């Protein structure tokens, strides 16, 4: 399991010289980390919180960003939790809420269970494999960046990619 992705950059590949990156069986790039630092919320029974991870780039993590475009992902025992738009909407039905003002991530598991006693994973990465442009860079804002890192004829295969928040 690779907690970091990888970046193929520079002038690589061509019509007669493909660059190939092939994973062995079972190789996984994971964009999440297990969290065991949840604290019980003092206001609501069965609700726990932890610091919200700062994803990079964080332009998706702004209060004005629609919920459908937010990159936050939370999994409990391999199952994705549903995201709600307000803390008051949290119910013991495997839900989570992100509070932008306090930089907290709230979780409410089935039956109000303590998330520290479960395998709770929170997405912390927004990319797994970057080809050409440096990860989280926008070539359309800087066309020279795209020219500098132009890559062609690359084949990537065999990787299992999980829990990338984007």
């Amino acid at each position: 399991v690779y907690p970091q992705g990888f970046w193929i950059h520079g002038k690589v590949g061509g019509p007669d010289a493909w660059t190939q990156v092939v994973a062995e069986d079972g190789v996984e790039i994971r964009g999440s980390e297990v969290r065991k630092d949840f604290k019980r919320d003092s206001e609501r029974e069965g609700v726990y919180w932890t610091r919200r991870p700062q994803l990079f780039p964080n332009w998706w993590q702004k209060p004005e960003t629609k919920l459908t475009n937010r990159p936050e992902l939370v999994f409990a025992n391999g199952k994705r939790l549903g995201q709600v738009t307000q803390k008051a909407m949290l119910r013991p039905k495997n839900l989570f809420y992100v509070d932008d003002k306090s930089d907290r991530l709230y979780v409410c598991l089935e039956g109000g269970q303590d998330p520290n006693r479960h395998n709770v994973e929170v997405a912390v990465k927004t990319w797994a494999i970057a080809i050409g442009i440096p990860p989280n860079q926008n070539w359309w804002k800087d066309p020279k960046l795209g020219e500098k890192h132009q890559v062609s004829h690359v084949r990537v295969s065999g990787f299992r990619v999980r829990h990338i928040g984007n």
Side-chain angles (χ1 to χ4, degrees), residues 121-134:
E121 295 178 75
V122 177
V124 294
K125 299 284 182 204
T126 58
W127 65 277
I129 302 168
I131 299 175
I133 302 296

Side-chain angles (χ1 to χ4, degrees), residues 14-76:
D16 299 323
W18 279 78
T19 298
Q20 296 191 65
V21 180
V22 181
E24 293 182 16
D25 287 341
V27 173
E28 175 179 289
I29 299 172
R30 187 176 302 165
S32 62
E33 63 185 20
V34 175
R35 300 292 290 264
K36 296 287 184 187
D37 60 347
F38 287 92
K39 297 171 183 62
R40 189 179 306 221
D41 185 54
S42 60
E43 299 172 14
R44 308 244 347 250
E45 185 70 31
V47 175
Y48 294 79
W49 67 271
T50 186
R51 299 277 306 160
R52 174 181 80 171
Q54 293 299 309
L55 300 174
F56 182 80
N58 68 356
W59 62 73
W60 287 314
Q61 287 184 297
K62 300 204 182 310
E64 63 274 11
T65 304
K66 292 181 183 178
L67 188 63
T68 54
N69 295 335
R70 299 287 297 241
E72 289 94 4
L73 296 171
V74 180
F75 301 84

Side-chain angles (χ1 to χ4, degrees), residues 6-166:
F6 62 88
W7 172 31
I8 299 170
H9 58 91
K11 301 264 185 190
V12 300
D16 299 323
W18 279 78
T19 298
Q20 296 191 65
V21 180
V22 181
E24 293 182 16
D25 287 341
V27 173
E28 175 179 289
I29 299 172
R30 187 176 302 165
S32 62
E33 63 185 20
V34 175
R35 300 292 290 264
K36 296 287 184 187
D37 60 347
F38 287 92
K39 297 171 183 62
R40 189 179 306 221
D41 185 54
S42 60
E43 299 172 14
R44 308 244 347 250
E45 185 70 31
V47 175
Y48 294 79
W49 67 271
T50 186
R51 299 277 306 160
R52 174 181 80 171
Q54 293 299 309
L55 300 174
F56 182 80
N58 68 356
W59 62 73
W60 287 314
Q61 287 184 297
K62 300 204 182 310
E64 63 274 11
T65 304
K66 292 181 183 178
L67 188 63
T68 54
N69 295 335
R70 299 287 297 241
E72 289 94 4
L73 296 171
V74 180
F75 301 84
N77 303 320
K79 294 182 181 178
R80 185 173 173 181
L81 274 59
Q83 187 173 10
V84 295
T85 57
Q86 300 172 14
K87 184 179 173 185
M89 297 171 71
L90 287 171
R91 301 282 182 267
K93 296 182 179 180
N94 291 332
L95 298 172
F96 78 96
Y97 165 68
V98 175
D99 186 333
D100 292 302
K101 292 178 184 167
S102 68
D103 260 354
R104 288 184 176 182
L105 173 78
Y106 290 89
V107 171
C108 191
L109 297 183
E110 191 74 38
Q113 298 176 57
D114 182 346
N116 295 309
R117 296 179 182 217
H118 294 271
N119 185 34
V120 175
E121 295 178 75
V122 177
V124 294
K125 299 284 182 204
T126 58
W127 65 277
I129 302 168
I131 299 175
I133 302 296
N136 300 315
Q137 297 286 322
N138 296 328
W139 63 267
W140 58 88
K141 290 182 179 179
D142 183 3
K144 289 182 182 179
L145 186 66
E147 293 170 16
K148 179 180 176 186
H149 296 284
Q150 193 171 26
V151 173
S152 67
H153 299 84
V154 175
R155 181 177 293 132
V156 177
S157 61
F159 290 89
R160 180 176 182 210
V161 179
R162 290 185 35 195
H163 304 169
I164 301 296
N166 67 15

